[in-house]
Amino acid sequence: MMNSQKINQATAYVSSEKSGFLMAKLSRHFSHKIDVQYTEKATVMTFSIGVCKIFIEKNLLRIECASPSVDELKELMDVIKSHFDRFASKEGVTVTWS
């Protein structure tokens, strides 16, 4: 029997020459509060409201969030955006969800 629960997803792309630094900074910050699996090319952060995955593709970060409900997805997107924008303020880049 297949699981019919719908997963809500959102993706953002951020172009930065410091993509690795920004991903590492987010990973370290959240690792004090939640489960974070981190490598040089990707990180997976598991929140109570969903999962956020970040992948490095050259000077580009692909940020993917997934949550069981639309409200949890919006909250997760806001959490990631607010922290990323604060950490990347000197870089002049911001998260824009597509």
Side-chain angles (χ1 to χ4, degrees), residues 11-68:
T11 302
Y13 295 91
V14 179
S15 179
S16 172
E17 292 183 10
K18 296 189 176 184
S19 57
F21 169 79
L22 294 171
M23 184 181 74
K25 193 164 185 172
L26 268 177
S27 299
R28 281 193 308 272
H29 173 77
F30 283 115
S31 70
H32 299 289
K33 302 172 184 177
I34 61 167
D35 180 51
V36 175
Q37 302 298 316
Y38 172 76
T39 69
E40 288 183 17
K41 296 288 183 189
T43 191
V44 177
M45 300 179 286
T46 305
F47 295 81
S48 62
I49 56 174
V51 174
C52 181
K53 299 176 183 179
I54 304 174
F55 304 94
I56 295 177
E57 300 170 351
K58 297 190 180 181
N59 289 338
L60 186 71
L61 289 175
R62 186 176 82 237
I63 305 170
E64 299 176 349
C65 290
S67 293

